[in-house]
Amino acid sequence: MTSTATSTPSAETGLDHLEIQGVKKVFGDNTAIERLDLNVRKGEFLSLLGPSGCGKTTLLRMIAGFETPTDGAILLAGKDIVSLPPHRRPVNTVFQSYLLFPHMNIADNIAYGLKQAKVPKPEIAQRVRDALALVQMEDFAGRKPEQLSGGQQQRIALARALVNRPQVLLLDEPMSALDRKLREEMQLELKRLHTKLDTTFVFVTHDQDEALAMSDRIVVMYDGVIQQIGSGEDIYANPHNGFVAGFIGKQNFISAEVASTDSTTATLRTANAVLTAPTLTLKPATAAGEPRNLEVGDRVRAAIRPERMHVAPAGESSGEANTARGSVISYSFLGDVIQYMIVVGDNDEILARVPAAGREPISAGTEVELSWNADAVAVYDREPSAVASLLEGGA
Ligand code: ATP
């Protein structure tokens, strides 16, 4: 957990601070990471996001030095670090379990790495004070870890990593043991630290809200493969494949068949409605596929975000291109929005989110008119069943 405190990388202003080049990781007959390329910019907050088993922790552990790539190179400020043991890499990791030494007080926990690196005592004392101030825990230096709450212990784990002045801070689901309120506080804390420090943060999470709230860029992973890289806004607005469309944010997927196309739009027939989609592009199910032109007869999934759905009393026209008659199954008041579950036809369950301000919720059992603009519809290839089961719950 210690690191050499290298302070001035020559590529300080270079865009690609951490370069992962053709990295692959195989455990026995299981390929955890397919050949993967990823460049992380200096000072960036980058999140690795994906479902359990997608390979995000393995990738992080290879950057940290706890796993060795089967193939490929990992460059930090232009130098390959693959042959360096973890404690010789200018990176530090904060883990989900805080891993504080129970018999040492907080100051000694934070000082541990610096002592190992034989940093002079007065400097250690100053850096420990600075690290405690950074996480706003100055008054806790003399306590033992057991005398701190979970959130406080996680702050100390952060201070212990940052005291080494790593070039890259690796965070492995650091907040998953905290309750929701604390987690939100720690998210703000981490953002504050990141802004202040100009250190590169690589953050592993399976929680899309956490990734969206904090990251400059998000790397969405599935099955050892990068599915998409981009800002949260980009990925949400323009998912490149069906996996990303379902994994980031809520999504209504409706099975459909392409009935006709003209020069710009496609007409899709579902079990219960006819949809207009403003596209002739069929996006793939995962990054393994390629986009292609839609053809009449293609069996596809139409995707519509819940907030793009309008809900009105039955018979009321909204003037939108797409409409369907349904019945409210239930609604939840979420503060700023009301979320409806609406059944269309026999069993198409549609999620709709409408602004709550000034509206009375529509009660369960009421017949309603659902409508949505044509440009709310994206079209994806039918997914492999493994992807479908992962996306269950995405409506
Ligand atoms: P989680 O969110 O559950 O931690 P993850 O996305 O971080 O999941 P990894 O822990 O990186 O996923 O695991 C990726 C794949 O590699 C999984 O199939 C896992 O079983 C396998 N794997 C990870 N570590 C080992 C190991 N030491 N030996 C064998 N297989 C491993």
Side-chain angles (χ1 to χ4, degrees):
M1 277 290 296
T2 59
S3 82
T4 45
T6 321
S7 54
T8 46
S10 55
E12 194 82 34
T13 53
L15 270 187
D16 298 331
H17 182 48
L18 176 65
E19 295 167 75
I20 296 167
Q21 298 180 339
V23 163
K24 181 174 179 170
K25 181 66 184 176
V26 178
F27 294 106
D29 54 6
N30 178 16
T31 301
I33 298 285
E34 299 285 354
R35 204 163 292 283
L36 182 148
D37 295 300
L38 173 64
N39 290 345
V40 188
R41 298 168 190 153
K42 172 124 186 75
E44 181 171 31
F45 196 127
L46 183 101
S47 291
L48 305 177
L49 172 69
S52 183
C54 73
K56 52 195 187 298
T57 304
T58 300
L59 182 56
L60 195 85
R61 288 173 60 80
M62 287 193 286
I63 301 169
F66 302 125
E67 297 287 357
T68 308
T70 309
D71 204 357
I74 300 177
L75 273 60
L76 187 56
K79 289 200 194 89
D80 195 344
I81 56 170
V82 164
S83 58
L84 294 180
H87 66 279
R88 302 209 67 82
R89 298 185 184 197
V91 304
N92 276 95
T93 309
V94 178
F95 299 92
Q96 177 185 340
S97 49
Y98 323 119
L99 301 180
L100 300 177
F101 300 117
H103 57 285
M104 287 185 198
N105 71 20
I106 296 309
D108 289 340
N109 260 283
I110 296 174
Y112 182 81
L114 300 178
K115 282 185 186 155
Q116 296 294 105
K118 307 238 177 324
V119 174
K121 272 189 180 162
E123 185 182 339
I124 293 181
Q126 185 58 46
R127 281 170 67 172
V128 168
R129 273 196 298 277
D130 291 348
L132 279 168
L134 208 54
V135 295
Q136 298 169 336
M137 294 282 290
E138 296 96 320
D139 299 338
F140 295 79
R143 290 210 198 167
K144 291 276 174 59
E146 66 187 15
Q147 296 170 306
L148 301 185
S149 72
Q152 289 168 336
Q153 289 188 44
Q154 193 52 294
R155 280 165 192 247
I156 298 304
L158 260 175
R160 188 180 53 176
L162 290 171
V163 81
N164 297 308
R165 297 179 184 155
Q167 290 180 29
V168 182
L169 184 68
L170 304 172
L171 299 127
D172 189 3
E173 307 236 13
M175 299 181 224
S176 51
L178 306 177
D179 69 33
R180 189 186 154 151
K181 191 165 178 301
L182 257 182
R183 211 161 56 223
E184 286 172 2
E185 280 171 26
M186 280 297 290
Q187 286 174 7
L188 292 175
E189 177 84 342
L190 261 186
K191 276 304 278 182
R192 184 184 64 79
L193 280 175
H194 177 252
T195 309
K196 192 165 177 175
L197 291 172
D198 196 33
T199 303
T200 307
F201 280 33
V202 180
F203 181 83
V204 161
T205 181
H206 62 269
D207 180 337
Q208 49 154 314
D209 291 333
E210 204 160 84
L212 287 169
M214 292 197 292
S215 318
D216 296 319
R217 286 191 306 160
I218 298 174
V219 178
V220 184
M221 294 181 66
Y222 169 63
D223 215 9
V225 174
I226 294 179
Q227 300 293 321
Q228 190 166 347
I229 305 177
S231 68
E233 296 91 316
D234 283 349
I235 291 178
Y236 188 86
N238 183 26
H240 289 175
N241 60 59
F243 174 79
V244 176
F247 193 73
I248 304 285
K250 298 276 184 197
Q251 192 73 264
N252 291 296
F253 283 118
I254 305 170
S255 296
E257 189 172 320
V258 180
S260 66
T261 57
D262 62 25
S263 59
T264 54
T265 59
T267 305
L268 313 176
R269 192 179 301 116
T270 77
N272 301 298
V274 174
L275 315 182
T276 306
T279 178
L280 293 174
T281 303
L282 177 66
K283 293 187 188 180
T286 68
E290 293 288 333
R292 67 168 173 85
N293 280 341
L294 275 173
E295 285 169 20
V296 172
D298 276 341
R299 289 157 59 77
V300 300
R301 293 192 309 158
I304 307 149
R305 295 279 189 202
E307 67 273 20
R308 302 296 302 271
M309 292 281 182
H310 301 281
V311 182
E316 219 172 77
S317 166
S318 64
E320 301 284 13
N322 295 298
T323 59
R325 181 68 65 92
S327 171
V328 173
I329 302 175
S330 62
Y331 72 83
S332 333
F333 177 69
L334 301 180
D336 53 342
V337 294
I338 302 172
Q339 176 169 290
Y340 291 101
M341 180 60 83
I342 294 166
V343 65
V344 175
D346 289 339
N347 56 6
D348 265 344
E349 291 187 350
I350 302 289
L351 206 59
R353 287 184 164 192
V354 300
R359 280 199 175 86
E360 280 297 312
I362 303 171
S363 49
T366 309
E367 290 284 301
V368 289
E369 204 76 46
L370 270 172
S371 59
W372 59 97
N373 198 296
D375 72 8
V377 183
V379 187
Y380 298 95
D381 204 352
R382 287 274 169 99
E383 77 288 9
S385 55
V387 178
S389 62
L390 264 171
L391 296 180
E392 269 172 21

